Every structure is written in structure tokens, then in C-alpha cells.
Amino acid sequence: MNTSNNTLHNPMGNHRTVEESRQEDCEKYDSEKGSFEKGSFEKDGSNNEDSIDITQLRTPLKVDLSSIYNFLGGRTTDAWVDKALSNLPTIIQDHANCEKKAAGTAMNLIFRYEFSYDLQCKLAQLIREEMLHYEQVLGIMHERGQEWIYLSAGRYAKGMLKHKRTYEPAAMVDILIIGAFIEARSCERFAALAAKIDDERLAKYYRYLLKSESRHFEDYLALAQSLSDDNIDERVAFFKEVEAELIASPDKKLRFHSGAPV
């Protein structure tokens, strides 16, 4: 569906077209100015940022990930990257699973927490983006002739969710904080894979994902804080340790968010 003539509205009374909104999300980070410069993409002649066909995607030349690296408790090791690159079909399908699960989780939340305008709007945007990414990864699998197989879930999300508080709004705050770590780790791993993968099409696609994934983690944190009367820094620090342990400790299953390869 062509939405180029639609407008977006926010409570402050500002209106902007969807195309204007997309342009704001497709900018190049200038490390000296500390900002993104509009219109700087990889020179492939494409201009469709929301295409299912990954060959049509505009990829920012650079995205600043310093906030991601500072937020996470540790970086992905070369051992995990090497293991992932030698098992790309597993990583690609588990990536698809992650996008589908993220959209499903957001859909459940949008029905469960209808009281917050900001939360509803952010979740609606998230669902659209995650399902687009899911469809894109399905296209990658089809292009590679990769059959869908059964993959059991890894320990990562469950390892954090078991620490979720059971009363509201604390439970929702924890879910959003966990979501922030999942998105941040996804972004960090896309960057790690893109830096070493030999497949330029996949490398380009992973770089394309960096901008939205880096934005998602900040959205989750802002929403979590908006729902809490107390500062969430203590809970963020707690889950930072939990997440870092899950990533650093030995893990028998190779998944997109798995720990140290065994």
C-alpha cells in the first residue's frame, strides 16, 4: 500500500508526511557534529526504504552505535561471530523467528495495555517494522533456497523474563526493559556480522537494520520510564548484568542471541 501521501500526527499538533518521517530515519551520522546528515546512503541507486526486496533498500553509510555499546554489558566475541558465519542458515532462520516473536509480543502488549497513547503508537510502529523485517528475511531464505526447519527456542529471552516482577506496572516496566536489551543486542550482533560476513547482500541488509534496531532500544527505555514513578536505572542495571551473563556464559545452542559457543 502506497502511504507516501499520508500524514503523521502527534499530540503537539505537528504534521509531517510519512516520506518526511522516513527521511529523518535515513540519515548519516557525522561523528564530528554528533548528528545525522540527511541523504547519505550507499550508492546503489535504490530509494525504497520499506521494500520487501532487500536489493531496493537504502542503507546508511554509517550509524553511531556508541550508545548501544555503552548500554550493553559486553560485546559479542569473535568466537560467536565465527560460529554464526559457519552456520548461516540457522542464524538467518532464527533471525526470522526473532522478528516474528517481537511483532507477536508487541501485538499482545497493544491489547493488554490500552491506557497509554504513547505506548500504543510506539507498539503499532514496532509491529509494522518487525513484520516488514520478517518478510524481508523470508525473502532472503527463499532467495538462498533455504527450507524452513524446526528450531527450538534459545535460553536468552526466558533467561531474562524469569526475573520479571509479577505486579503492575512493574511487570510492564520490566518487559520493556528486557525488550530494550533484546533490541540492543540484535543491533550489536547485526554490526558484528556485517563487519565479517563475505556475503555482501547480507552485509548490506544487516547494515540497513542498524538504524531501526538502535532506535527501538531507546524507545523501549523511554516507554518503561514513562510508566514508572520511580527511576528505572536500578532495574536497567540489574538486567544489564543478567543479559551480559547470558551472552558470555557457555551455550550449547547456537541462536541469534545465544551465549558463548561450546
Side-chain angles (χ1 to χ4, degrees):
M1 181 173 64
N2 187 346
T3 59
S4 61
N5 293 324
N6 291 347
T7 59
L8 301 174
H9 173 72
N10 65 41
M12 300 302 293
N14 298 324
H15 293 77
R16 54 187 178 148
T17 66
V18 172
E19 180 60 29
E20 289 170 341
S21 177
R22 288 173 178 168
Q23 286 296 325
E24 291 177 6
D25 286 343
C26 295
E27 301 166 343
K28 177 187 174 185
Y29 187 80
D30 186 318
S31 59
E32 294 182 357
K33 297 179 181 178
S35 62
F36 286 88
E37 293 182 349
K38 294 184 178 179
S40 297
F41 304 97
E42 294 187 0
K43 307 294 186 180
D44 60 2
S46 60
N47 59 6
N48 188 351
E49 192 189 346
D50 290 345
S51 175
I52 297 170
D53 182 358
I54 65 169
T55 64
Q56 300 300 311
L57 299 175
R58 292 192 297 182
T59 305
L61 290 173
K62 185 176 181 181
V63 177
D64 179 45
L65 299 181
S66 58
S67 61
I68 294 283
Y69 297 142
N70 290 332
F71 177 67
L72 295 170
R75 300 278 286 271
T76 291
T77 63
D78 288 340
W80 183 91
V81 174
D82 292 341
K83 186 78 170 180
L85 293 179
S86 65
N87 293 272
L88 268 179
T90 296
I91 294 302
I92 291 171
Q93 183 178 320
D94 198 49
H95 174 199
N97 279 332
C98 291
E99 301 289 0
K100 181 168 56 175
K101 289 175 184 177
T105 298
M107 183 63 76
N108 288 333
L109 293 176
I110 211 169
F111 282 104
R112 186 175 178 184
Y113 299 97
E114 298 179 321
F115 56 84
S116 170
Y117 173 84
D118 287 341
L119 183 62
Q120 291 283 300
C121 290
K122 288 294 186 182
L123 288 173
Q125 178 186 11
L126 182 67
I127 292 165
R128 290 195 303 273
E129 291 185 350
E130 302 292 14
M131 288 309 297
L132 172 64
H133 297 163
Y134 174 63
E135 198 167 2
Q136 289 167 342
V137 181
L138 286 181
I140 291 171
M141 292 180 64
H142 180 73
E143 180 183 89
R144 295 169 64 91
Q146 180 176 335
E147 296 285 340
W148 190 276
I149 64 172
Y150 171 74
L151 279 182
S152 59
R155 68 184 187 182
Y156 181 74
K158 289 182 180 179
M160 288 189 284
L161 284 169
K162 71 180 183 180
H163 298 286
K164 175 180 69 71
R165 292 170 290 185
T166 58
Y167 54 92
E168 298 294 355
M172 182 59 183
V173 170
D174 284 352
I175 288 173
L176 291 169
I177 292 172
I178 291 168
F181 277 101
I182 293 173
E183 295 292 337
R185 181 59 65 185
S186 297
C187 185
E188 188 262 352
R189 290 211 155 161
F190 288 135
L193 288 168
K196 294 189 68 174
I197 195 169
D198 290 332
D199 187 323
E200 181 53 35
R201 286 164 70 84
L202 272 180
K204 177 185 175 183
Y205 180 59
Y206 291 151
R207 290 193 295 271
Y208 153 80
L209 291 172
L210 294 180
K211 189 64 183 358
S212 61
E213 299 298 326
S214 63
R215 184 184 71 246
H216 288 169
F217 103 91
E218 294 174 333
D219 288 343
Y220 271 118
L221 288 179
L223 288 171
Q225 185 59 73
S226 73
L227 297 179
S228 177
D229 292 332
D230 301 320
N231 189 289
I232 66 171
D233 287 353
E234 185 175 336
R235 291 301 289 174
V236 171
F238 170 77
F239 281 110
K240 182 174 184 175
E241 293 185 3
V242 172
E243 197 272 348
E245 173 63 21
L246 288 167
I247 290 299
S249 59
D251 194 343
K252 294 181 180 180
K253 285 184 181 179
L254 176 67
R255 296 293 185 267
F256 197 85
H257 297 94
S258 58
V262 176

